[in-house]
Amino acid sequence: MTPFAIAGVQMYVNALQPNVDGMIQRLDILMARFPWTQMVLFSELAPFGPLDRFALPPENETIEQFQAAARRHRIWLIPGSMFLKHPEDGRVYNTSVVINPEGEVVRRYAKMFPFRPYEAGIAAGNEFCIFDVPEVGRFGLSICYDMWFPETTRQLTSQGVEVLLHPVLTGTTDRDAELAIARATAAQFQCYIFDVNGLGAGGVGKSCVVDPTSMVLHQSAGQEDMFPIEIDLNMVRRQRETGMKGLGQLLKSFRDRPTDFPVYDRESGADAFLHTLGPLEIPQQGTRAGLHVDVPGQQVPAEIPAYKGKNGFPPEPLASPTAGTAPEVAQAPVPAAPAAAMPDPQTTLETPGHNENTSG
């Protein structure tokens, strides 16, 4: 067994004031209650909320505070994500940092799929985030909407990632769909999923932890929650070798696939349909995009009722008066069967070997 304890922190996130002190306080409480925790994950945009007006430079005092907290508690720390502004071109990225127990930032990851068209103005990253915990295993990081695109997890798990850390900020009505995707992703890619959402301006909660068989190990509700879960990475390795419950060996089947996918070649034309879907924009009131309302519908003649009912459609006339009926065939009279011999009710039926003088 290769055990490793990861804790998610689902907390209330303010949009108009920093949440950093609250995060560190909760981290202190978590480590006092569960000192065996080895890694802690907060939700997407937990430090400053969802407004990019609070974007910071890549090197800042907040990251230094988190580095000091990781060093103090001797833990791996992923403090959600925050908006960081590129010092040269001014573009803003939704960025996570991975801090090791020595307080060093070992990886940075910019969200590949900003939630467009709603996350307008946020640039997309183009580098994957993979890191190893010595003597434990390989971890990968994606942020919220990234997981809706299975190619992101495919890339990570094809390079050996065994645990997918997934901070999210979902405050919309599609959270249940996202939870279904988390379970499907765990089964498809034979990995653990730690999916941590926030509350308030940070989301609707419902954080979850899923194992490689798609079993939900923990499901938060709509209140603050700290949930340390000890995982076993040998389970991941065993399942990838022998299949989920001894059945599907998904990663090996993908490795040995007989077909490549032309849709990933932008020049192949295999994605022509996608170019008919219109621009990526926020729907407006009464939008009818995609309904083809510019194509006139087939007109129904006025004299024919458009519904069935008292004055509805008449029955279809038959081709001829005898259509649909079998021809009459002359039948020979059938002699009446003789009446069955009925037993005389006064007659006593005797059972062989038994008579009325025989006692039980």
Side-chain angles (χ1 to χ4, degrees):
M1 179 177 180
T2 307
F4 191 73
I6 306 173
V9 179
Q10 175 175 289
M11 62 171 277
Y12 186 88
V13 174
N14 291 289
L16 299 177
Q17 62 187 40
N19 302 286
V20 177
D21 288 345
M23 293 173 68
I24 292 177
Q25 289 172 3
R26 287 166 176 81
L27 179 59
D28 291 343
I29 294 170
L30 169 68
M31 295 308 299
R33 294 179 62 194
F34 312 110
W36 41 272
T37 301
Q38 296 162 277
M39 177 181 285
V40 179
L41 173 65
F42 285 84
S43 62
E44 178 186 15
L45 299 176
F48 296 99
L51 303 180
D52 61 357
R53 71 177 76 164
F54 300 114
L56 296 174
E59 306 299 332
N60 58 72
E61 181 181 345
T62 297
I63 293 178
E64 292 174 0
Q65 287 180 268
F66 290 131
Q67 289 178 272
R71 186 166 50 247
R72 182 171 67 254
H73 292 296
R74 299 296 301 167
I75 58 169
W76 291 82
L77 177 61
I78 299 90
S81 67
M82 63 187 80
F83 289 122
L84 299 181
K85 183 178 294 186
H86 195 282
E88 296 178 2
D89 58 26
R91 289 189 294 177
V92 176
Y93 295 86
N94 186 345
T95 306
S96 287
V97 295
V98 178
I99 305 170
N100 70 12
E102 286 71 43
E104 302 165 334
V105 175
V106 296
R107 290 289 184 276
R108 292 174 182 255
Y109 173 70
K111 186 176 181 179
M112 285 192 171
F113 286 92
F115 189 43
R116 293 175 180 156
Y118 297 91
E119 273 189 331
I122 305 303
N126 57 14
E127 295 183 0
F128 291 92
C129 180
I130 297 172
F131 64 97
D132 291 331
V133 173
E135 300 181 5
V136 177
R138 180 158 288 185
F139 292 70
L141 181 64
S142 66
I143 301 176
C144 201
Y145 203 39
D146 288 339
M147 197 167 66
W148 287 67
F149 302 87
E151 295 82 356
T152 60
T153 311
R154 174 75 69 195
Q155 183 73 28
L156 295 172
T157 53
S158 293
Q159 296 182 66
V161 164
E162 300 168 304
V163 181
L164 179 62
L165 305 169
H166 189 239
V168 306
L169 187 168
T170 301
T172 46
T173 55
D174 57 349
R175 181 57 178 158
D176 285 343
E178 194 165 65
L179 293 174
I181 292 171
R183 291 190 64 192
T185 298
Q188 283 180 302
F189 298 103
Q190 300 177 304
C191 63
Y192 281 98
I193 304 284
F194 276 76
D195 181 285
V196 181
N197 198 13
L199 299 167
V204 295
K206 300 183 182 179
S207 300
C208 70
V209 180
V210 189
D211 81 0
T213 70
S214 82
M215 178 180 293
V216 176
L217 302 179
H218 176 78
Q219 174 76 71
S220 300
Q223 68 279 339
E224 293 214 0
D225 194 13
M226 299 176 181
F227 44 97
I229 302 290
E230 186 175 83
I231 62 174
D232 178 13
L233 295 183
N234 279 353
M235 176 185 177
V236 177
R237 295 155 195 161
R238 174 69 174 171
Q239 179 169 312
R240 289 178 172 181
E241 177 61 28
T242 63
M244 184 177 77
K245 300 180 180 179
L247 301 171
Q249 299 178 27
L250 292 153
L251 298 191
K252 290 192 286 186
S253 293
F254 181 78
R255 178 200 64 195
D256 298 343
R257 67 191 182 278
T259 304
D260 286 322
F261 300 97
V263 68
Y264 293 119
D265 178 2
R266 295 177 186 268
E267 306 300 322
S268 70
D271 63 347
F273 165 73
L274 301 181
H275 298 282
T276 71
L277 297 179
L280 182 60
E281 60 187 10
I282 298 176
Q284 302 300 313
Q285 290 182 345
T287 181
R288 301 182 68 82
L291 299 181
H292 305 291
V293 293
D294 55 326
V295 180
Q298 182 178 0
Q299 298 297 316
V300 179
E303 67 273 15
I304 299 179
Y307 62 93
K308 293 185 179 181
K310 181 177 179 182
N311 300 313
F313 295 114
E316 293 287 339
L318 297 175
S320 70
T322 59
T325 62
E328 294 185 2
V329 179
Q331 305 236 352
V334 178
M342 298 297 292
D344 186 344
Q346 301 298 321
T347 303
T348 301
L349 297 178
E350 293 188 1
T351 302
H354 178 81
N355 61 55
E356 62 182 5
N357 295 321
T358 304
S359 63

